[in-house]
């Protein structure tokens, strides 16, 4: 068990098809971390890592989207979201369905998961751990909440509070801050943007403010996200220079966060897996220090 290093997964929608290759490599090679942190698509990687299901870790962002029941503008027009989140997270994971989740393995795993989401009406970032997930639905509705991209997916209500994607929360999509609060000083980060990427300002701020006129805090967080996200990237760069972080940055990124074409997702996974295999010696060196 790796106890001195936090494992952190960035969000990024379907760009997680690429980082699924890194996730599968970590699992195949037996890298077991005490704590794993994830936001948005990274929360799916997080719970798949905890359960230890290599097959599910791959198909969640690759083959599953080819099954034709998880996304499309038809779902969006019916109010279910471009990504049909209820099916993806809460229905497909049930016994006999297409993305069955081994909740017993999750429950018994010594690895502690950490998932973040954003409360729409309070502006508060929430942090959930295994103690908040006593049932399969308790787990998956939180993964869904963390992954609920504004505009593309309807918000999720849990315990009377309404939630959106953790990417607009205090960590801005990369949950480094929570790992630091938990006492970690060394980090293994799996990112979904290429090295050197910086997020640009929102091109249509007036449209965002109009779309979220009833909930202006959501528009404000989305407009503030480039500055917050870029600041986290600078913090990560400092940690790298100090030797306290290893960062898996995709060498290429052949898909967007909304890509659902099966061939593109398969190619994305293959490239991510190949890169992870090439980087294995460097991973071992960093984690043995």
């Amino acid at each position: 068990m790796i106890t001195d290093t936090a494992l952190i997964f960035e969000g990024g929608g379907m760009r997680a098809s690429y980082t699924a290759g890194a996730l599968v490599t970590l699992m195949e090679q037996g890298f077991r971390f005490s704590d794993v942190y994830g936001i948005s698509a990274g929360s799916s990687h997080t719970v798949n890592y905890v359960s230890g299901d290599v097959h599910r870790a791959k198909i969640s962002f690759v083959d599953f989207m080819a099954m034709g029941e998880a996304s499309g503008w038809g779902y969006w027009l019916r109010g279910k979201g471009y990504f049909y989140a209820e099916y993806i997270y809460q229905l497909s994971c049930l016994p006999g369905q297409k993305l069955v989740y081994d909740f017993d393995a999750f429950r018994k795993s010594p690895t502690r998961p950490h998932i973040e989401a954003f409360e729409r009406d309070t502006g508060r970032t929430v942090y959930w751990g295994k103690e908040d997930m006593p049932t399969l639905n308790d787990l998956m509705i939180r993964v869904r909440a963390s992954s609920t991209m504004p505009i593309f997916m309807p918000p999720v209500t849990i315990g009377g509070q309404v939630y959106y994607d953790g990417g607009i929360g205090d960590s801005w999509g990369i949950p480094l801050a929570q790992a630091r609060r938990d006492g970690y000083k060394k980090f293994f980060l799996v990112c979904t943007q290429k090295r050197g990427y910086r997020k640009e300002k929102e091109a249509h701020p007036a449209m965002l403010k109009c779309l979220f006129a009833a909930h202006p805090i959501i528009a404000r967080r989305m407009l503030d996200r480039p500055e917050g996200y870029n600041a986290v990237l600078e913090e990560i760069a400092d940690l790298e220079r100090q030797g306290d972080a290893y960062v898996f940055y995709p060498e290429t990124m052949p898909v967007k966060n909304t890509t659902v074409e099966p061939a593109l997702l398969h190619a994305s996974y293959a490239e991510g897996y190949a890169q992870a295999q090439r980087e294995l010696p460097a991973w071992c060196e960093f984690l043995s220090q």
Side-chain angles (χ1 to χ4, degrees), residues 17 62 65-66 254-255 259-271:
S17 58
V62 183
M65 301 309 297
V255 299
T259 298
V260 294
E261 290 82 0
L264 293 177
L265 296 174
H266 274 277
S268 177
Y269 172 81
E271 290 180 34

Side-chain angles (χ1 to χ4, degrees), residues 121-288:
D121 300 323
T122 67
R124 186 172 70 101
T125 301
V126 297
Y127 309 93
W128 291 310
K130 194 177 285 188
E131 65 277 6
D132 302 301
M133 310 164 185
T135 70
L136 176 59
N137 191 62
D138 289 326
L139 167 63
M140 288 303 177
I141 197 170
R142 284 165 173 78
V143 175
R144 176 184 171 187
S146 180
S147 307
T148 298
M149 292 187 288
I151 302 174
F152 287 99
M153 300 154 83
V156 179
T157 300
I158 303 172
Q161 292 289 345
V162 180
Y163 293 97
Y164 271 111
D165 196 301
I168 59 174
D170 292 343
S171 296
W172 302 111
I174 306 175
L176 173 64
Q178 182 60 24
R180 293 192 116 166
R181 284 192 290 269
D182 287 342
Y184 280 101
K185 300 183 185 304
K186 188 177 175 184
F187 312 92
F188 190 102
L189 297 106
V190 180
C191 291
T192 55
Q193 296 283 10
K194 294 188 291 186
R195 182 180 293 277
Y197 170 85
R198 294 296 182 269
K199 189 173 290 295
E200 297 181 357
K201 290 183 178 180
E202 172 59 46
H204 305 287
M207 182 180 71
L208 266 183
K209 291 176 182 178
C210 181
L211 285 171
F212 293 98
H215 304 286
I217 194 170
I218 300 299
R220 183 71 264 158
R221 296 296 293 191
M222 293 176 73
L223 292 172
D224 289 346
R225 187 163 185 252
E227 181 179 357
Y229 177 81
N230 293 342
V232 176
L233 290 179
E234 292 299 330
E235 185 178 358
I236 290 170
D238 287 340
L239 288 168
E240 269 195 298
R241 284 190 286 269
Q242 296 161 14
D244 295 325
Y246 186 98
V247 190
F248 178 88
Y249 282 116
E251 294 173 348
T252 64
M253 183 43 67
V255 299
K256 299 178 181 179
N257 62 345
T258 56
T259 298
V260 294
E261 290 82 0
L264 293 177
L265 296 174
H266 274 277
S268 177
Y269 172 81
E271 290 180 34
Y273 184 80
Q275 179 183 338
Q277 295 294 306
R278 291 193 299 272
E279 292 190 15
L280 259 178
W283 294 8
C284 293
E285 181 180 358
F286 174 76
L287 293 170
S288 65

